[in-house]
Amino acid sequence: MSSPSDSTHPTPAQGLAGLTLAALGVVYGDIGTSPLYTVKEVFSPHTGVALTQANLIGAVSAMFWALMLVVTLKYVILILRADNRGEGGVLALTALASQAVAGQPRLRAALLLLGVAGATLFYGDSVITPAISVLGAMEGLEVLTPALKPYVVPAALVILTGLFLVQRHGTAAVGRFFGPVIVLWFLLLAGSGVVQIAQQPAILQALNPLHGLAFLSERGWGVLAALGAIVLTLTGAEALYTDMGHFGRRPIRLAWMGLVLPALALNYMGQGALLMGDPEALANPFFKLFSAAWLLPALVLATFAAIIASQAVISGAFSLTKQAIALGFLPRMQVRHTSAAASGQIYLPAVNSALLLGVLAAVVLARSSSALASAYGIAVTLTMLITTLLTYVVISRAWKMPRPLALAATAFFVTVDLALVAGCAIKFFDGGWAPLAFGLGLFVLMSTWARGRALVMESIHAEGLELEPFLAQLEGSELPQIARTAVYPVADPSRVPQALLHNLKHNQVLHARNLILTVVTESRPWVAEAERAQRQPLSERFERITLHYGFMETPDVPQALEALGLPAFECSYFLSRETVVSTPGSGMARWRERLFGLMSHNAGSIARHFRLPDNAVVELGTRVQI
């Protein structure tokens, strides 16, 4: 995502129409490909739903009202209002909620852990979504001719591999292509649905929510299996909120109300109408909507739509990882900026490679969208539930909404979310465990890193020397002086930097000017340039500088120092490279301490993270016990 000064950030100059078109291409690719597989799954054998006219009307009604209640009412109308200075997503919402309870450390810590859990579940969804979208599109080859069935999985693997390989080049050029293609896709969804509805207008009864309620209530315990399939209509709902920083809430709302919701509703009703007249079409009701002449264009558009859906999830994973690094939940890793104009267009090689391996494994093991549908749902519905709980904190504490109203609204959405979670939970042993296991592994990593960094800070504070008394002693020394500026980046500005101690011990010199530098990541996405730096003189030769950045920004220390009148060519940067040593004690379990030590050892360079010039960095090692 981009900063307010970037071209990708919503600005009046870009025009509402242009932003709405762009939002269609990025935000709605995921939910727009749900018709490829959802109706087929609702009436698959494992749900036990018979293919009757009453069930068709009831199921389509339940799907339509799921879109209305969860996507329209919860996300588009309510949660899009919960922006953190224009940014959205579970971590942005977590930061907003934690600000609202800043005076309650235990509650704040619990909310942070809840937000981290939501973020890790998003990664589980990031593995399933590209696989199910592209496989669902490639299954149209079977409808085109059964002889192509053996090529469905290989074709999906080739497309997905190519998609991940081009990530390093950025998405700017492809992004301009996304919007118009998705518009064509939604027009195709709407048009194909209208044709079938005209032949079976009885399906319009699905607009009555009573048919949906009757359908669910008649299922008994089988309602869980039905809900586990109906939840597929909601794939990508989180993207509405996560991508708000790209476009702003108004274009996202206009795109949903003006095109996406009507097109999805018409297509789902169209598939229901088709099955009323031709039950044999259940083999693939989406592609059976089209005549032989329209089948190939539909297949091509479906493929592009699936690629766009996958791209949106991959870009979301990159943005979420960058947020997690800035907020201290993941170690530094390489972040490449693929656009000079838009800082939000980033590429993380490690994340890209991990997702590629996960997605390819999902395709090879599942081999069909139906098999992947069994694995889908638990992660995304739990994320929805976490979003609802965090939103309650925001609306009750930050917005000061009357407590009874906040509780009533939250209770309604929690009930809906819990029903969907329960419907997906029965798929746990059919593959639903996979995204949960993936998310749990990431949660262990993220929580271990956050706790480990806290222990490191405690160790530095306890074992380090107080800065100001040390500087008072240093003022009377007769050490040789170098006419340059030494910059010492530190996490705890109240303690003497280890790199400074090593420099004095080994080089026996003191620079004419010494900056004790701290970079603080705020729980807001952007920090204005006027609020960037704070300066505090400590002595004749020492100064404390604190630089503030938002969690969506990439720190550029040389640029910030230049703005303070400190030319880059005069500065040398002295860094402490921490070697973490695990010791017995009450910090963490030994295995977690060793895991943290491994993560710390493999963390990306702080010099690269702060954009320090390679030829001006001196790195000195230090041991830290936890």
Side-chain angles (χ1 to χ4, degrees), residues 453-474:
R453 289 304 303 169
L455 290 173
V456 167
M457 291 300 298
E458 290 175 12
S459 177
I460 291 174
H461 190 82
E463 299 177 8
L465 301 174
E466 286 192 38
L467 179 62
E468 294 187 16
F470 177 81
L471 296 184
Q473 294 178 0
L474 200 60

Side-chain angles (χ1 to χ4, degrees), residues 37 81-82 99 143 145 253 348 358 453 489 507 571 599 619:
Y37 43 79
R81 294 183 59 212
Q99 287 176 18
V143 181
T145 170
R253 284 174 171 168
L348 284 79
R453 289 304 303 169
N507 297 323
C571 294
M599 295 171 72
E619 200 166 31

